[in-house]
């Protein structure tokens, strides 16, 4: 090719995406816009209700202040019950999730049926919301903290067990093979080989789930499963907005304290 022909050739233009990728991105954008528009039409947003929303919010906060100081005592008692529900539910979940997590880990339990059974338990636990579990247990055991505790426990089994099984599967095989070569049994291999490797992850998972359970157990009382949600539901039904403010402030405070506690423990202990 001569120099003149090379100079006459059009310059090459760099493009980040290929034509097919650009077409796929355009199709996804159009689909997202269409889904958004369909959602707005489905939920039937009434513009008139949006116009006076700032006034309604201002009126609501005006009714909440000043807060009812006399309702602090019942709120604190309900808050303690909420902490008990979250803590006991987390402990029950750990007791259930550990053996099922061992069944789900393929490097510990090399049996496909057992692996699938354990994963089915995890999916069942995580697919049902804690409020739905609470409704079921309220129907079985009646209203009270027992239903809330069991709801928190079964909801937490899937989360805790799945992450534990993944941590076990990611363990270093070197130390495990060394123990097995030295004649260590299955129990000794679990305690001396796997446990030291997954212990930080295990306690992190347990603390993180406890933090989540405090937030979830705060609303279980709305369906009769005990805790501070009962106080919130009572105040809402009676339209005592100054008492609602006390309950909301207590929930906000305990969530912040739990976050600080979990962060501190993880930083100093793990």
């Amino acid at each position: 090719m001569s120099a003149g022909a090379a100079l006459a050739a059009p310059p090459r233009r760099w493009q980040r995406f290929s034509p097919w990728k650009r077409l796929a991105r355009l199709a996804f954008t159009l689909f997202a816009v269409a889904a958004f528009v369909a959602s707005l039409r489905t939920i039937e947003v009434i513009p008139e209700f949006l116009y006076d929303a700032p006034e309604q919010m201002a009126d609501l906060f005006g009714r909440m202040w000043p807060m009812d100081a006399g309702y602090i005592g019942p709120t604190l008692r309900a808050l303690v019950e909420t902490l008990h529900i979250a803590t006991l539910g987390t402990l029950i979940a750990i007791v259930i999730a550990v053996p099922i997590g061992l069944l789900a880990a393929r490097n510990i339990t090399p049996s496909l049926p057992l692996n699938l059974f354990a994963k089915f338990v995890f999916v069942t636990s995580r697919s049902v919301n804690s409020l739905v579990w609470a409704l079921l247990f309220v129907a079985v055991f009646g209203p009270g903290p027992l239903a809330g505790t069991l709801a928190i426990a079964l909801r937490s089994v899937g989360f805790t067990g799945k992450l534990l099984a993944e941590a076990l599967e990611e363990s270093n095989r070197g130390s495990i093979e060394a123990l097995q070569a030295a004649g260590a049994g299955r129990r000794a291999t679990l305690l001396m080989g796997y446990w030291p490797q997954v212990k930080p992850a295990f306690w992190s998972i347990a603390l993180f789930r406890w933090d989540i359970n405090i937030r979830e157990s705060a609303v279980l009382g709305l369906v009769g499963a005990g805790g501070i949600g009962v106080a919130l539901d009572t105040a809402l039904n009676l339209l005592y907005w100054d008492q609602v403010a006390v309950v909301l402030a207590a929930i906000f405070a305990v969530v912040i304290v739990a976050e600080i506690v979990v962060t501190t423990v993880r930083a100093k202990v793990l």
Side-chain angles (χ1 to χ4, degrees), residues 149-229:
T149 302
L150 294 178
I152 288 295
L154 288 190
R155 171 66 172 174
S156 304
V157 167
F159 178 91
T160 307
K162 184 176 185 298
L163 293 182
L164 176 61
E166 291 178 353
L168 289 169
E169 290 180 344
E170 295 174 358
S171 300
N172 184 14
R173 287 292 304 170
S175 58
I176 307 300
E177 293 175 353
L179 286 171
Q180 293 174 346
R186 182 177 178 84
R187 182 178 178 182
T189 303
L190 288 174
L191 295 179
M192 305 301 295
Y194 286 103
W195 172 243
Q197 298 187 58
V198 303
K199 180 169 64 173
F202 172 80
W203 289 117
S204 296
I205 294 167
L207 289 172
F208 185 44
R209 189 64 219 185
W210 177 73
D211 184 23
I212 295 175
N213 287 340
I214 290 179
R215 306 175 192 184
E216 291 194 353
S217 60
V219 297
L220 294 183
L222 297 176
V223 295
I228 198 172

Side-chain angles (χ1 to χ4, degrees), residues 17-215:
F17 300 106
S18 65
W20 284 109
K21 289 184 178 180
R22 292 199 300 271
L23 182 61
R25 289 166 63 88
L26 177 61
F28 176 78
T29 303
L30 294 176
F31 174 78
V33 172
F36 178 74
V37 173
S39 300
L40 288 180
R41 298 184 61 183
T42 302
I43 62 176
E44 297 180 356
V45 177
I46 302 176
E48 289 77 12
F49 289 169
L50 298 178
Y51 296 153
D52 62 342
E55 298 178 4
Q56 296 293 337
M57 292 294 296
D59 178 69
L60 181 62
F61 285 116
R63 295 172 185 268
M64 288 183 177
W65 187 264
M67 294 187 291
D68 186 3
Y71 202 61
I72 295 179
T75 301
L76 292 179
R77 287 191 293 270
L79 187 60
V80 171
E81 186 177 78
T82 297
L83 294 174
H84 290 168
I85 291 173
T87 303
L88 185 58
T90 304
L91 292 176
I92 295 175
I94 291 174
V95 171
I96 299 174
V98 168
I100 301 179
L102 294 176
L103 293 178
R106 290 169 295 181
N107 55 341
I108 295 179
T109 307
S111 173
L112 182 60
L114 292 177
N115 297 151
L116 294 178
F117 169 75
K119 292 180 180 179
F120 173 77
V121 173
F122 295 158
V123 171
T124 303
S125 170
R126 290 184 291 116
S127 61
V128 180
N129 190 272
S130 57
L131 284 175
V132 179
W133 282 119
L135 284 171
L136 294 176
F137 287 119
V138 166
V140 175
F141 300 104
L146 176 60
T149 302
L150 294 178
I152 288 295
L154 288 190
R155 171 66 172 174
S156 304
V157 167
F159 178 91
T160 307
K162 184 176 185 298
L163 293 182
L164 176 61
E166 291 178 353
L168 289 169
E169 290 180 344
E170 295 174 358
S171 300
N172 184 14
R173 287 292 304 170
S175 58
I176 307 300
E177 293 175 353
L179 286 171
Q180 293 174 346
R186 182 177 178 84
R187 182 178 178 182
T189 303
L190 288 174
L191 295 179
M192 305 301 295
Y194 286 103
W195 172 243
Q197 298 187 58
V198 303
K199 180 169 64 173
F202 172 80
W203 289 117
S204 296
I205 294 167
L207 289 172
F208 185 44
R209 189 64 219 185
W210 177 73
D211 184 23
I212 295 175
N213 287 340
I214 290 179
R215 306 175 192 184

Side-chain angles (χ1 to χ4, degrees), residues 83 207-215 251-267:
L83 294 174
L207 289 172
F208 185 44
R209 189 64 219 185
W210 177 73
D211 184 23
I212 295 175
N213 287 340
I214 290 179
R215 306 175 192 184
I251 294 174
F252 183 71
V254 75
V255 168
I256 292 179
V257 171
E259 183 69 24
I260 295 174
V261 169
V262 170
T263 303
T264 304
V265 171
R266 290 188 62 185

Side-chain angles (χ1 to χ4, degrees), residues 1-17:
M1 180 181 295
S2 63
L7 293 176
R12 299 179 63 182
R13 181 181 178 184
W14 180 84
Q15 292 182 347
R16 183 178 180 183
F17 300 106

